[in-house]
Amino acid sequence: MNDLIIRNYEETKEEILVDVDKDSFVVDWQKNETWEVSFKVTKTDRNRKAFDIADYESIIIWQGQHYVIKQLKSYAVGEQLFKEVVATHIYYTVQDGFQYTEKTGTLSITQCLQHIFSSGARGFSYEVIDPKNKFLKVEQENFGKNNYLKLIEEVLDDYDAVIVQNNKHLKFYPTADYGEKTNEQIRYKYNTDNVQFDIDTFDLKTQIKGFGKQKEESEGGAYYFTPITYTSPQAEKWGIRIQDPVEDERYTQAGNMLARLKKDIHDYPSISGSTTLKWTVDLSKGDYVAFIYEPLSINTWIQVVGITEYPMIPNKPPEIILSNTKKTMTSIIKQLLKKG
């Protein structure tokens, strides 16, 4: 269903919103960062009721997903009235909840989520998708005392997780299990389509050391486990390049720290870029594309971490952002803008 629905905040009125400027209608998604729709609409005889419903905190419904109007600009040109709307996915209203209590201990991702929503679900539900048991327990200290959104962001970082939202139902996946590998590939500088990529080895490291929790002075002050040094197999190719150590008192088990080091080591060139390539198959959120760059002998997978779609413009392909880095989408976009 591709009708654009507008519903008032009180949920007592609902209309189909027509006469939207199709060129302005954009759906923007960025992994673990944002999801929003934006558009401009002109008041006409056909959409008079719907136009008036479009106000702060009203609900936009597009392809089954609900978005809340958070930014609104109303203006007139002569006798013609216009509104420019930015509506954020309803998931982000999770920030309106607050967990005042704190929890300390060795916790699973499920226990952290249970603690977050124990102050009230606010209409949200969640599930953890981890059939291979990749999520490890993490030593948490004073987890809580923040709004739900910030606590979920902590969970995503601490447990290396990805969140997938279906309105107010949230699914949490291990990052390694999120996304499908496609049959497509990009050969840097040999692709005939519009592809722009940045590659750098500035942060490439091959060795990292991890320090866990120290015992109390009464126990001798030693670490719960001997600090661990992890050396990547890539050291054979690039030599020993030492990354800043991990110092995290939440860790009391050597195995958990080793898993953290293997996750944190940046033993590959950073790749990020954008494309408007017309793929033979549709790329979806989180999908992986083969990336080949002969000068650095790179043959790896890079992930779709951002999609900007123009669904009201026929045959206009989406703009895709791909990356193999752990940078936030904000930093990737800023980097691309600087070099654009």
Side-chain angles (χ1 to χ4, degrees), residues 3 55 60 96 134 136 140 144 148 152 172 185-186 210 220 223 233 276 278 286-287 291 327 332:
D3 287 336
D55 204 350
I60 297 292
D96 297 331
K134 291 184 178 179
L136 301 175
Q140 297 286 356
Y148 288 4
I152 288 174
F172 294 83
Q185 68 173 222
I186 296 172
Y223 288 99
T276 53
K278 294 182 180 179
D287 279 354
F291 182 83
K327 298 176 184 178
I332 290 174

Side-chain angles (χ1 to χ4, degrees), residues 283-307:
L283 281 176
S284 300
K285 299 169 184 175
D287 279 354
Y288 286 86
V289 180
F291 182 83
I292 300 168
Y293 181 57
E294 285 87 351
L296 284 180
S297 301
I298 295 173
N299 188 342
T300 188
W301 294 93
I302 50 178
Q303 189 177 37
V304 175
V305 294
I307 302 178

